[in-house]
Amino acid sequence: MRIADRWKDYELIDASGSQRLERWKDIILIRPDPQVIWDTEKKHPLWKQAHAMYHRSNTGGGSWEVFKKMPDRWQINYGNLKFNIKPMGFKHTGVFPEQGVNWDFAAEKIRKSGLKEFKVLNLFGYTGCATLSCMAAGATVCHVDASKGMVQWAKENAVSSGIEKLPVRWLVDDCIKFVQREKRRGNKYHGIIMDPPSYGRGPGGEVWKLEEQLYSLVLQCRDILHEDARFFILNSYTTGLSSGVMEYLLGVTLCPKFKGRVSADEIGLPVTQSGFVLPCGSTAIWER
């Protein structure tokens, strides 16, 4: 397992009874996590001192219960980057901290590439943490997400990090249609990052179903990979899409054309209280 263990402003303190106890800088949150199927004793005192807890609703969605006064939004650091944190309606905060392992991988590949211009496409880019990491490493990035609100949040993260003037394109668009247009335009990328949802809708109401459309999208992305491409990162939180399945998918689509190698594994976060690691999705990587 690849472990995101370089955080200072985030800590997974404990995990038990379908819940995570987390520190986001100096704010303590309790959030649900269906992967936490064990019900160990909640010994850590911060279980009873959290600022807020997210409660899931039986009818879908849920809400935050606030116990202590806390800001509507605040910032956390990851290296030299700053991310704006805001508890949202569906338990999220704007950052998936386990993705730090993928941000670091991409940044290292960019810095060591020796290329004069390293072009990265970040599809389903969310609040832009991967985009910012690639920008800071020297890449020219195209950030695409179907949500106008998420793209705006990503822009704000770039401003907070002081890198908003670095080369980047912020696009509110359907990822499939954008890739198809890039192919027609003949644009190529040296790195592609893709973190697709299990289900979603584009800005024009386009329906996305992961298992039905992922293979086709990867094939289309293959056509916009530069002949000197360095990486393709595919991440998923869908339990039915294992790391082995994604590894095979990238292997059969990319290796015949670009050679290189494919690897895949779970990614996870260290749990302070237990000393074990909580799995948080899977990532498959093609690299030259």
Side-chain angles (χ1 to χ4, degrees):
M1 187 184 298
R2 298 166 61 226
I3 304 170
D5 56 4
R6 294 185 56 236
W7 282 98
K8 292 183 172 58
D9 279 0
Y10 173 84
E11 180 186 7
L12 180 49
I13 302 167
D14 199 6
S16 179
S18 300
Q19 293 177 321
R20 292 188 188 189
L21 176 66
E22 301 171 302
R23 177 180 63 83
W24 298 82
K25 201 163 189 177
D26 53 1
I27 303 296
I28 306 301
L29 300 179
I30 298 174
R31 297 192 300 156
D33 189 326
Q35 295 278 74
V36 183
I37 62 173
W38 48 90
D39 196 11
T40 50
E41 186 179 354
K42 296 178 178 178
K43 296 180 180 180
H44 202 287
L46 288 179
W47 280 109
K48 298 180 180 179
Q49 299 174 35
H51 289 80
M53 174 191 291
Y54 186 87
H55 296 280
R56 273 209 172 107
S57 169
N58 292 331
T59 57
S63 61
W64 289 93
E65 180 181 7
V66 179
F67 305 118
K68 296 180 181 179
K69 185 177 180 180
M70 55 184 280
D72 292 332
R73 57 189 297 168
W74 64 98
Q75 292 180 343
I76 63 172
N77 295 331
Y78 187 76
N80 294 325
L81 302 175
K82 290 184 183 294
F83 305 137
N84 294 287
I85 301 299
K86 180 176 65 176
M88 292 187 287
F90 186 65
K91 84 172 182 176
H92 298 310
T93 63
V95 174
F96 290 88
E98 62 276 5
Q99 288 297 324
V101 294
N102 291 328
W103 309 335
D104 293 345
F105 172 87
E108 182 179 16
K109 286 291 184 183
I110 293 164
R111 285 193 294 265
K112 292 183 176 180
S113 70
L115 297 174
K116 289 185 178 180
E117 183 183 30
F118 196 114
K119 296 178 66 177
V120 172
L121 174 61
N122 186 13
L123 295 171
F124 310 97
Y126 195 51
T127 59
C129 299
T131 294
L132 268 61
S133 184
C134 292
M135 290 168 63
T140 298
V141 186
C142 183
H143 174 105
V144 185
D145 196 280
S147 167
K148 184 178 180 179
M150 291 300 106
V151 173
Q152 180 59 37
W153 195 334
K155 291 180 182 179
E156 293 169 3
N157 282 338
V159 172
S160 297
S161 297
I163 61 173
E164 72 276 12
K165 293 184 180 180
L166 294 178
V168 61
R169 296 169 65 202
W170 305 106
L171 297 172
V172 179
D173 205 342
D174 176 75
C175 289
I176 295 176
K177 290 183 177 179
F178 175 79
V179 170
Q180 291 170 344
R181 288 197 299 273
E182 287 293 86
K183 180 181 176 181
R184 291 195 295 269
R185 289 186 285 241
N187 289 334
K188 303 278 187 177
Y189 294 89
H190 300 94
I192 293 179
I193 301 170
M194 187 190 301
D195 190 2
S198 300
Y199 178 85
R201 288 187 179 274
E206 303 88 348
V207 177
W208 164 267
K209 292 183 179 179
L210 183 67
E211 289 91 339
E212 295 179 7
Q213 293 167 276
L214 182 59
Y215 174 66
S216 173
L217 180 56
V218 172
L219 281 177
Q220 293 176 74
C221 285
R222 180 184 65 184
D223 294 333
I224 60 171
L225 265 182
H226 195 279
E227 62 183 12
D228 196 18
R230 301 306 169 90
F231 65 78
F232 191 119
I233 300 172
L234 172 61
N235 189 80
S236 175
Y237 292 97
T238 304
T239 54
L241 197 66
S242 69
S243 59
V245 168
M246 293 194 298
E247 180 177 7
Y248 194 100
L249 172 61
L250 293 191
V252 296
T253 52
L254 302 182
C255 288
K257 181 177 181 179
F258 297 99
K259 309 304 181 188
R261 71 185 189 96
V262 178
S263 60
D265 210 338
E266 288 182 302
I267 56 176
L269 291 164
V271 181
T272 304
Q273 181 72 8
S274 67
F276 294 111
V277 177
L278 178 67
C280 304
S282 298
T283 300
I285 296 174
W286 170 86
E287 57 186 306
R288 182 168 297 282

